[in-house]
Amino acid sequence: MSTVRAVESPAAPRHDPDAPEPPAARGPAPWLLLAALYVVAAGLYSALALHSPLPVLFPDEFRYSHLARSLADGQGFDWRGEHVGQSAALYVYFITPAWALFQSTVDAYHASKVLGTLALCAQIVPVWLLARELVGPRLALIPAVLSVLGTWMLTSAETVTEVLAFPLATGALCVAVMALRRPGSRLGWVALALLVLATWARIQLAVLVPALLIAFLLDALRDPEQRRARLLAHRPYLLTMGVAFLGLAIIALAAPSVTGDYSGYFDLRPEFGQILSKTGLQLLELVALGAFAPVLLAAGAVVSPRAWRDNATGPLLAVFWPAALATAVQSGFFLAGYPPAVSGIGRYVTYAVPLALILATVLMVRPRLMTRPALILAGLLALTLLARPAVHEMGEERSTWSTVYRLQQLFGGSEGLLLALTALALVAVAAVLIRRAGDPARAALVFAAVIGAVLVVQSQASWWQMTRTGDALRSVMPADLEWVDHHASGPVALLGVTQNAPQFDDIDFFNRKLTQTFVPVAGLTGRRVEGKQCSFRFALSGQLQLQPGCGPTPHRFLINDPSARLTFRDEIASASDPNVGRIVEVAPAAMPRAQSLVVLPCPRQTPGFRPDRPDIVPTSAPITCRPALTGALWLDARATVQVRYRGGPAAQTVTVGTRTYAIPAGRDSTVSFAAPTGYSQFTAQQDWTSSAGTPKVLSVSLVRGGTTTKLA
């Protein structure tokens, strides 16, 4: 081992005549500036995260926070009685103290986001430590700053595994580069340890194990003069990662169940052409994520022998490209085999971006490493963006969408053309700085300013879009997000009738007392309600009948259906909110029995969204409604049903049975009809189906013996 260390010094990189001389020490120490950068970044992104009102990424945010809450409540990995196989659980453990410390779920949610932000911003430390070796402590602040400017920082507003996996993966990759620069050192074990933690946070990062195996092989091969010595120095790591890769392959083939709920990934069988297409899409998203030029320069540097043999850029290339390709191929395979995924997903390929930012800084400082053919190749590869398909999901393709959105506001034009021209312009700027700049340090600062401006524009547009969407969703939520917990005296069961309300995921997120879910035998339309579900039906007597094995019959219910309104006999307490629905409590000694079920023609509205543009459709927008108001009654005595309408601009009609009622224009009117004893159904057929310029249902009531009971 000592012989190997004599061949390749573990100290600083080889002297390069193009490298700038270290500036005279003046001003604050670089580590103080780094600490200040961390404080500023953590403060800024914590403020932005707390300004984001609701979770926006389904089902990820809801899943991890529910599991953390379940752990804090002593129930393990359980979601309303259903075990969740979360094998990559480090992030869940990381935020569990927030849910244990705060009884308020809103406070716990905010604390989780702040914890995630503090972890996410820590990526500047490994970036600076690596860049310090390559360009000096002050210029190393350039990639450190850039590493907290991109759209990946939006995850600070989300309770997702990336906020922990990203800084751990960045640390693993940066330390791996350091290990390649110091053959025979123990830094490789540190990189592997960080990678294990990153994989525990996000299981997809297991793909970086073979990536690092390839990186160590590339490093051994990149300089023929030192090939044998480096192979000997890297041998422990090559053997360890080779065995680890073999173990992962065996698990994938023989026992994928150990990955928990991710085991379905190994059942995917996409076509090879689709894998190539989606992998290419992910690589183009990677280019946009890194503000175009850094990744394209890294691609061009592949054909530069000087860059490969240099002890600064060679290890960077050896780690960056295996990591970038591994994450792109893995996510491309998933996207090709998972039909609901119609877009690229930028956050799946973010992990190698910090290395590209460091590499670009080094190339500015040491311009002779970037040959003319390398620059030409970078420019030619920029043209591949002409083939970039249109953005389908702006929330998953943030860097590409935000760039195109702002450029189209200024210039118009097609997406692919705008992206390609932007990339070409940035590569041209880099080429001028590399080939013509007399002061490499100044060139690095100018290039960083240009790239930083692109990252800031991307981030500003993406934060604006995400916050705007969150505010729109928040507008149809109760002022008190813990409304259910504050209005129920004990555990509450969701009772779905026609549809799972779009707001339910957020209501479920912020309210601990929602402990059961009941859906009709035929199922519930809308987004799936997570956790254990049990079916129910109403007997002819109105009695609530539950699927066997669902535990004791509940006596507190949340009726959150956008269209259905349900009342019970023997109600002893209730609370309602126009944006949530109604909580009702039935007498504990009574078996829950329905009294009425009314299904309104027009459901409660939620803001609408398009996945490819930031337009928000307000709740006042016209919709197509059902052509009738329907209902079911379980009565002990005859009664009268009264439906009050507010007339529209023109007269309309409603038909109940054989009788037709006029709904005069511009004033309120009431349609009354008799309801018999026992079980009965009614239908109020309307001669309109639009919510625009038509009568509105104001209320549905039951009149018995001079007493009026509101049903809807």
Side-chain angles (χ1 to χ4, degrees):
M1 189 66 70
S2 60
T3 303
V4 173
R5 291 184 179 176
V7 172
E8 181 69 35
S9 171
R14 303 166 183 167
H15 175 70
D16 189 318
D18 290 338
E21 293 299 322
R26 61 180 182 272
W31 67 267
L32 284 176
L33 294 174
L34 184 73
L37 172 62
Y38 178 81
V39 171
V40 170
L44 171 64
Y45 288 113
S46 291
L48 289 171
L50 294 176
H51 184 65
S52 183
L54 296 172
V56 296
L57 188 60
F58 182 89
D60 303 50
E61 292 194 73
F62 302 90
R63 176 191 182 105
Y64 304 133
S65 293
H66 266 283
L67 294 181
R69 189 172 82 189
S70 181
L71 281 175
D73 293 342
Q75 298 172 358
F77 280 13
D78 180 273
W79 196 337
R80 276 195 297 274
E82 181 176 88
H83 175 73
V84 178
Q86 183 68 31
S87 54
L90 183 59
Y91 175 71
V92 175
Y93 293 126
F94 177 70
I95 63 171
T96 293
W99 292 92
L101 181 63
F102 295 101
Q103 181 60 34
S104 165
T105 55
V106 174
D107 291 342
Y109 171 57
H110 290 160
S112 297
K113 292 196 290 185
V114 172
L115 280 175
T117 301
L118 296 177
L120 184 63
C121 291
Q123 67 187 285
I124 66 172
V125 176
V127 169
W128 181 78
L129 288 174
L130 173 57
R132 181 185 62 174
E133 294 186 1
L134 308 177
V135 295
R138 291 189 180 277
L139 289 180
L141 292 169
I142 290 176
V145 171
L146 295 178
S147 71
V148 286
L149 291 184
T151 55
W152 53 87
M153 296 303 296
L154 271 77
T155 54
S156 60
E158 300 170 342
T159 51
V160 291
T161 58
E162 283 88 347
V163 296
L164 193 56
F166 187 66
L168 287 170
T170 298
L173 296 177
C174 287
V175 174
V177 174
M178 296 179 192
L180 297 186
R181 287 168 43 78
R182 296 171 173 80
S185 72
R186 297 179 179 178
L187 288 173
W189 303 119
V190 177
L192 286 174
L194 290 170
L195 182 53
V196 168
L197 290 175
T199 303
W200 191 15
R202 186 167 181 80
I203 199 168
Q204 290 87 339
L205 292 182
V207 74
L208 292 181
V209 172
L212 287 191
L213 173 63
I214 295 172
F216 275 84
L217 284 172
L218 284 174
D219 183 69
L221 300 175
R222 67 184 178 85
D223 190 342
E225 296 179 2
Q226 302 181 55
R227 184 170 300 168
R228 180 176 176 81
R230 286 180 178 272
L231 280 173
L232 288 173
H234 295 336
R235 183 169 55 186
Y237 302 121
L238 293 173
L239 289 174
T240 301
M241 286 183 286
V243 171
F245 177 51
L246 181 62
L248 291 172
I250 292 174
I251 289 173
L253 295 173
S257 60
V258 301
T259 62
D261 284 359
Y262 297 105
S263 60
Y265 175 86
F266 301 101
D267 294 329
L268 301 178
R269 297 293 185 270
E271 296 180 359
F272 183 70
Q274 276 292 98
I275 297 173
L276 287 179
S277 174
K278 295 297 186 180
T279 298
L281 178 61
Q282 289 295 87
L283 287 172
L284 292 179
E285 189 64 23
L286 173 64
V287 172
L289 272 165
F292 302 96
V295 177
L296 292 172
L297 290 177
V302 169
V303 300
S304 172
R306 296 176 189 171
W308 276 109
R309 293 179 183 178
D310 185 82
N311 201 39
T313 52
L316 277 168
L317 289 170
V319 176
F320 171 78
W321 277 115
L325 291 173
T327 52
V329 171
Q330 179 206 53
S331 56
F333 176 86
F334 168 73
L335 295 176
Y338 186 61
V342 296
S343 70
I345 300 182
R347 56 196 171 92
Y348 287 173
V349 290
T350 310
Y351 302 98
V353 170
L355 292 187
L357 300 175
I358 297 171
L359 177 60
T361 305
V362 175
L363 292 174
M364 291 295 124
V365 173
R366 308 178 70 178
R368 75 177 187 87
L369 298 176
M370 198 66 177
T371 61
R372 183 171 297 173
L375 289 171
I376 292 173
L377 177 60
L380 291 175
L381 289 174
L383 298 177
T384 60
L385 288 160
L386 289 169
R388 177 63 166 81
V391 170
H392 288 285
E393 291 284 350
M394 57 188 174
E396 295 288 17
E397 302 170 284
R398 287 170 174 161
S399 296
T400 299
W401 171 80
S402 57
T403 303
V404 170
Y405 182 71
R406 291 305 187 204
L407 288 174
Q408 286 182 334
Q409 286 182 315
L410 293 173
F411 309 112
S414 65
E415 294 187 9
L417 180 61
L418 289 171
L419 292 169
L421 291 176
T422 300
L424 278 172
L426 292 170
V427 171
V429 169
V432 169
L433 292 172
I434 287 173
R435 307 296 293 182
R436 305 271 180 109
D439 184 350
R442 181 174 297 175
L445 289 171
V446 172
F447 183 73
V450 173
I451 295 303
V454 175
L455 293 175
V456 167
V457 169
Q458 290 179 339
S459 294
Q460 186 279 329
S462 295
W463 276 103
W464 168 78
Q465 180 271 325
M466 185 175 74
T467 304
R468 188 165 177 259
T469 301
D471 288 343
L473 293 171
R474 183 67 180 87
S475 69
V476 291
M477 295 286 294
D480 177 14
L481 290 173
E482 298 173 80
W483 183 83
V484 174
D485 282 356
H486 293 158
H487 287 81
S489 58
V492 177
L494 171 70
L495 197 64
V497 182
T498 68
Q499 177 186 348
N500 181 27
Q503 299 95 333
F504 177 73
D505 294 315
D506 294 301
I507 294 170
D508 186 28
F509 186 94
F510 289 107
N511 292 274
R512 294 178 186 260
K513 290 182 180 178
L514 286 165
T515 58
Q516 291 176 285
T517 299
F518 294 94
V519 301
V521 175
L524 198 65
T525 61
R527 184 178 283 168
R528 181 184 184 275
V529 180
E530 299 294 327
K532 183 178 180 180
Q533 297 183 17
C534 292
S535 62
F536 79 94
R537 62 183 295 272
F538 289 113
L540 289 178
S541 63
Q543 180 176 320
L544 180 66
Q545 296 180 339
L546 305 179
Q547 172 187 333
C550 289
T553 301
H555 285 74
R556 297 181 197 88
F557 302 95
L558 170 66
I559 296 95
N560 182 42
D561 196 290
S563 300
R565 305 293 184 264
L566 183 64
T567 65
F568 287 90
R569 302 185 189 191
D570 304 313
E571 292 185 7
I572 59 173
S574 68
S576 61
D577 183 279
N579 293 315
V580 178
R582 195 167 77 103
I583 295 175
V584 58
E585 183 172 355
V586 178
M591 179 62 67
R593 289 194 302 163
Q595 174 182 251
S596 68
L597 171 59
V598 176
V599 179
L600 300 174
C602 292
R604 182 175 68 237
Q605 282 297 92
T606 299
F609 308 94
R610 287 191 54 169
D612 59 340
R613 63 182 61 177
D615 303 332
I616 296 175
V617 181
T619 56
S620 58
I623 61 171
T624 299
C625 302
R626 286 181 290 271
L629 180 151
T630 61
L633 300 170
W634 294 265
L635 304 178
D636 290 333
R638 292 175 59 85
T640 299
V641 178
Q642 293 183 342
V643 183
R644 292 185 63 238
Y645 291 91
R646 174 155 295 162
Q652 311 276 173
T653 62
V654 171
T655 301
V656 180
T658 59
R659 183 175 176 182
T660 297
Y661 301 81
I663 308 297
R667 62 187 179 89
D668 295 354
S669 59
T670 301
V671 172
S672 299
F673 51 90
T677 303
Y679 174 70
S680 64
Q681 295 180 339
F682 64 85
T683 298
Q685 190 72 34
Q686 305 164 167
D687 68 349
W688 70 89
T689 56
S690 173
S691 67
T694 57
K696 312 296 181 188
V697 177
L698 298 180
S699 66
V700 182
S701 302
L702 195 67
V703 179
R704 291 177 295 187
T707 301
T708 301
T709 303
K710 186 176 180 180
L711 306 182

